[in-house]
Amino acid sequence: VVLQCNNYEIIDLGVMVSCDEILRIAEQEKVDIIGLSGLITPSLEEMARVASEMERLGFSVPLLIGGATTSKAHTAVKIEPHYTRDIVAYVSDASRSVAVASELLGANKAQYIALQRQAYQAVRERIANRAPRNPSLRYSEAVANAPSMDWRRYDPPKPSFIGTRVFEDFPIDVLIDTIDWTPFFVTWELSGKYPMILQDEVVGSQARELFDDAKRMLRHLIDHKLLTAKAVVGFWPASRSGSDDIAVYDDEDRSRQVATLHHLRQQTQKPGGSDNFSLADFIAPADSGVADYVGGFCVTTGHGVEGVAAEYDAAHDNYSSIMVKALADRLAESFAEHLHLLVRRELWGYDASESLENEGLIREHYRGIRPAPGYPACPDHSEKAILFNLLDATNACGVTLTEHFAMAPASSVSGFYFAHPESKYFSVGKIGRDQVEDLARRKGLSVEEMERWLAPNLNY
C-alpha cells in the first residue's frame, strides 16, 4: 500500500513480511528510510537479521525500530551493533515517527545520529554493569524445586466432549459486555484505567470523545456484519511426561499419543526458596493413576478487518482505520474471555456456578488459566504449531501461522486451558543453556534454533 504524507511517499508492506522481502522492495524502490514494527517476540530476532543483512548488502539508509515488543535497551544491545552504515533509531510510539523521520532527512542528521549513538552506548554500559536480580539455578535444581501436588486427592473434571468443537459466525453482540476497555485507551496513548479514565481531570474529555466514537464504530461494524467471529475449542486426555512435557492422547483409552506439549521451567532462585513453576506441573503425571485433561482454543474476530480498514485508508480516514483494528483486537480478547467463561461453566464445566462480573473476569478471579504460547508462562512461540495441529485451527476458523508463528488475521488469540485449582500464571523469566539444550532434545531441534525462538529469555 502506498500512502502520501507531508510530501513523502510511504510504502506500507503490511504485517508479517520476511526480511528478504523487505530488503528486496527497499532496494528496488530506492527508499530513504526502512521502518520495522515488532508484533511478537520472534520478530525481535528478525529485526536483528534485517540490520545484519542491510550491513552486508551495503544499505546506507536509516533503520527505524518500533512496536509493542521492542525497547530502547533491546535496540541498543541486539540491533544497533549489527548496522554501522547509518543509524538504527528506536521510536517509542507511532506518533514520534514523523519527528524522527524529519530529523533523519533534515540538515541536522549527523548531530542526531551522534546523540543517538552516545545514548545507545550508555544503555549498553549500564546493562553490562547491572547485577543479576536473582541467581540462576541449574536446570536439574529447578526441576527438583518443582511444586509438590497431592494427586491422590485430585479428581480431574471431565470435559463434556473429547476432540474439537467449532463456533462459526459467533454473534459479536455477545462479546461487548466482556470487552476490557483499558488497553483500548492505551492504544491511543491515553493513560488510565477504565471506567475511571472517562472522568480523569487531564484526559477525561478526550477519553469520553474517543469512547463515544468507538461505540458508534462498534455498532456500525456489528449492524453491517463487517466482522466475523470464529473459534475452535478442544479437550484431550493428557498426562505429564518427564519433568516439563505433557503427553496428549486422542481418546479416553490413552493408548495413542497424538502430540507432546513442551514447556519451560523457571530457572532462577526464588526468595524464600519458593517453587520453580512449569505449566506441566498442573497436569497429573502418567504414573499417578489420575486421568487428567488439557484444553486448547483459537478465536478470531479479524476476518473482514483488513477490507474495512483499507476502505478507510483509501478515503484518507486513518483515524477510522486505526479504530477498526483497535476494536477488532479488543473483540478478539473479549472472545477469548467469553469462551473461557463458557469452558468453565459448560464445556469443561468445572465451575458451573461461577458468577463473576466483568471486573472479576479481567482480574482473573476464577479457577483455571488459559496461557498463550509466546507469553510469560509459555514463551516458546513454536508451540503454537502443535496447538494449531491439535485444533486444526486453520480449517476450523481460518487462522494461519506465519513462518515466525504470528497469527493471521492479527486480531486472533490462541492458547491452552488448564483446570487444576492450583494452576496460575507466572513468568518463566531467564533460562540457562542447560534447559535450552534439554528442550531442543525433547523437541528434536538444534540448540541454535531453540536459541532463536527463546532469545529474549536466555540468561547467556
Side-chain angles (χ1 to χ4, degrees), residues 164 226 307 339 359 380:
T164 60
L226 298 177
L339 191 61
E359 183 64 22
D380 182 5

Side-chain angles (χ1 to χ4, degrees), residues 340-354:
H340 195 191
L341 175 65
L342 193 62
V343 164
R344 297 191 300 273
R345 286 181 177 175
E346 301 176 24
L347 301 180
W348 204 333
Y350 56 80
D351 200 355
S353 61
E354 179 191 306

Side-chain angles (χ1 to χ4, degrees), residues 197-274:
I197 191 174
L198 301 179
Q199 306 305 323
D200 187 271
E201 292 182 2
V202 178
V203 300
S205 176
Q206 188 178 356
R208 289 192 298 273
E209 182 179 349
L210 180 66
F211 191 44
D212 288 341
D213 289 346
K215 289 186 289 185
R216 280 192 292 270
M217 177 64 80
L218 190 56
R219 195 71 261 160
H220 173 73
L221 294 172
I222 293 172
D223 290 346
H224 292 83
K225 301 185 185 301
L226 298 177
L227 303 183
T228 303
K230 297 182 179 182
V232 57
V233 61
F235 304 110
W236 306 274
S239 63
R240 190 169 82 229
S241 174
S243 301
D244 295 313
D245 286 349
I246 298 173
V248 181
Y249 307 96
D250 64 346
D251 59 29
E252 294 284 14
D253 186 48
R254 298 171 186 254
S255 59
R256 192 170 79 94
Q257 185 174 335
V258 292
T260 302
L261 307 178
H262 313 88
H263 292 293
L264 291 161
R265 185 169 297 279
Q266 294 173 317
Q267 206 176 335
T268 55
Q269 186 174 317
K270 300 292 199 64
S274 300

Side-chain angles (χ1 to χ4, degrees), residues 170-188:
F170 196 87
I172 294 179
D173 260 329
V174 176
L175 306 179
I176 295 176
D177 289 341
T178 47
I179 290 177
D180 180 3
W181 286 103
T182 298
F184 170 80
F185 291 104
V186 172
T187 300
W188 297 91

Side-chain angles (χ1 to χ4, degrees), residues 275-288:
D275 297 329
N276 290 82
F277 282 96
S278 164
L279 287 174
D281 295 331
F282 306 132
I283 298 294
D287 59 3
S288 67

Side-chain angles (χ1 to χ4, degrees), residues 357-373:
E357 298 293 333
N358 194 40
E359 183 64 22
L361 297 176
I362 293 171
R363 293 180 177 272
E364 299 161 357
H365 292 165
Y366 46 71
R367 171 180 164 179
I369 57 174
R370 57 170 193 276

Side-chain angles (χ1 to χ4, degrees), residues 288-351:
S288 67
V290 175
D292 212 344
Y293 302 86
V294 71
F297 71 95
C298 180
V299 305
T300 183
T301 54
H303 295 301
V305 170
E306 290 302 321
V308 176
E311 289 183 8
Y312 285 119
D313 284 332
H316 305 290
D317 186 355
N318 293 333
Y319 176 72
S320 294
S321 176
I322 296 171
M323 178 70 75
V324 169
K325 295 174 184 177
L327 288 173
D329 289 346
R330 289 296 89 218
L331 286 169
E333 295 289 349
S334 177
F335 198 178
E337 190 74 80
H338 183 86
L339 191 61
H340 195 191
L341 175 65
L342 193 62
V343 164
R344 297 191 300 273
R345 286 181 177 175
E346 301 176 24
L347 301 180
W348 204 333
Y350 56 80
D351 200 355

